[in-house]
Amino acid sequence: MILQDRVAIVTGAGGGLGRAHALLLARHGAKVVVNDMDQSVAVRVADEIIAEGGQAIAAAASVTEETQIATMVERAMSRWGRIDILINNAGILRDKSFAKMTLADFRLVLDVHLMGAVICTKAVWEIMRQQQYGRVVMTTSSSGLYGNFGQSNYGAAKMALVGLMQTLALEGEKYGIRVNSLAPTAATQMTNGILTKEALERLDPKLVSPGLLALVGENAPTRAILCAGAGHFARAYVTLTEGRYVGNADDAGERVIARWEEIGDRFGETVPPYGFTQAEHELASAGCAGKVLAGGH
């Protein structure tokens, strides 16, 4: 029961991955807020948890509606007095090639995946800061990390969540808040009609959820991207190569082209601890020694 007495919110938990996440967290001792837009399915999952001896409440709310999310958070605080874990799982698909996609469908997907996670995280952030403890998981995707045909909107939203994770992990560190990302592959309503029957059978959502335990427990990492599917787990990284200095001569562009393979050589690449690492690396290569940040940053 490694999550004993922890309070968790799981968005989009009425079915698929969210349901699997909620059930697993509850089985490990967490008290769970089961969120979904559909009250009936949220109640059904909450009842499953309660039937197994756990504690849960159902909360119908859209992640894009700030007032609804605020009410959900207030209910959890009123019931249990704290919020330790937030799983930003809610999402939708509007797949089409970029040429055929409407801007409305692009905005809608970004609104649900990205702004939905922002709204939910913002609603619990100060609570976690005050209690000096928090675990937040963003749901990213290989479509964002590596691209996928017909998913420019979804991929953009999912990669944006990685950027959100990177910064929130830095800002939350001194408050005991750890922020990570899960990139799942699972058979859900969102993948119906895309994968074969055999693939769907092997990609049971419950085979993804165990990865959450590593991301939300007492000894959770921070800024990790965990890829999970069919019982297999891997880590993804955003890395920086050593690169090459070409200077500021008139032919700098030609030099970049000529040294392209060297610039992209992955030997010695690193995972930067923060974004400004790139600038520090570039300035050092240009011969700028010593402190480069002004104003005590």
Side-chain angles (χ1 to χ4, degrees):
M1 303 291 281
I2 62 174
L3 300 177
Q4 187 68 48
D5 297 325
R6 295 297 184 190
V7 177
I9 295 174
V10 183
T11 67
L17 273 169
R19 173 180 171 273
H21 293 342
L23 290 170
L24 180 130
L25 295 176
R27 287 166 186 158
H28 285 83
K31 302 166 184 175
V32 182
V33 178
V34 179
N35 161 260
D36 199 274
M37 288 186 67
D38 186 330
Q39 176 72 10
S40 64
V41 295
V43 167
R44 188 159 60 240
V45 175
D47 286 347
E48 282 187 76
I49 291 171
I50 294 167
E52 291 184 5
Q55 296 187 54
I57 57 175
S62 168
V63 295
T64 62
E65 296 294 334
E66 296 174 50
T67 55
Q68 293 179 20
I69 295 304
T71 299
M72 177 181 73
V73 169
E74 287 168 9
R75 281 188 64 201
M77 290 297 290
S78 177
R79 175 78 174 267
W80 292 309
R82 61 186 295 119
I83 296 170
D84 301 287
I85 298 165
L86 169 64
I87 311 298
N88 286 307
N89 171 75
I92 59 169
L93 287 179
R94 292 294 185 272
D95 291 357
K96 279 186 180 177
S97 68
F98 189 64
K100 297 178 181 178
M101 185 179 296
T102 66
L103 291 178
D105 274 349
F106 204 104
R107 289 192 180 99
L108 177 61
V109 169
L110 260 68
D111 199 31
V112 174
H113 288 272
L114 177 58
M115 289 309 301
V118 170
I119 289 167
C120 292
T121 305
K122 184 68 172 174
V124 303
W125 192 252
E126 189 56 32
I127 294 168
M128 291 180 173
R129 276 171 35 110
Q130 291 295 324
Q131 66 193 19
Q132 294 281 300
Y133 187 94
R135 300 290 184 265
V136 179
V137 176
M138 308 295 178
T139 303
T140 185
S141 170
S142 57
S143 296
L145 297 168
Y146 310 113
N148 216 23
F149 188 91
Q151 293 193 315
S152 57
N153 48 4
Y154 181 75
K158 289 307 192 183
M159 196 59 181
L161 287 168
V162 173
L164 178 63
M165 172 202 76
Q166 301 280 22
T167 293
L168 292 187
L170 295 174
E171 293 184 4
E173 187 173 12
K174 68 179 181 180
Y175 300 101
I177 303 172
R178 299 177 188 177
V179 189
N180 296 288
S181 291
L182 180 67
T185 307
T188 68
Q189 283 186 333
M190 290 173 61
T191 55
N192 284 343
I194 297 174
L195 302 173
T196 65
K197 182 180 178 182
E198 181 184 2
L200 290 171
E201 290 172 351
R202 291 180 181 272
L203 291 171
D204 191 319
K206 69 182 181 183
L207 299 178
V208 169
S209 298
L212 277 184
L213 294 183
L215 302 181
V216 303
E218 193 78 22
N219 299 314
T222 197
R223 299 180 69 209
I225 304 169
L226 180 64
C227 303
H232 180 270
F233 297 87
R235 292 276 304 274
Y237 297 89
V238 180
T239 65
L240 181 69
T241 67
E242 289 186 344
R244 295 294 183 270
Y245 179 69
V246 303
N248 62 354
D250 290 342
D251 65 344
E254 286 81 359
R255 292 185 187 185
V256 171
I257 294 169
R259 306 189 70 178
W260 186 254
E261 293 301 320
E262 296 173 65
I263 291 168
D265 186 351
R266 300 191 65 177
F267 179 80
E269 70 180 1
T270 59
V271 178
Y274 47 86
F276 206 75
T277 301
Q278 177 184 332
E280 292 173 340
H281 186 65
E282 292 159 349
L283 290 167
S285 179
C288 182
K291 184 178 178 182
V292 298
L293 286 174
H297 290 283

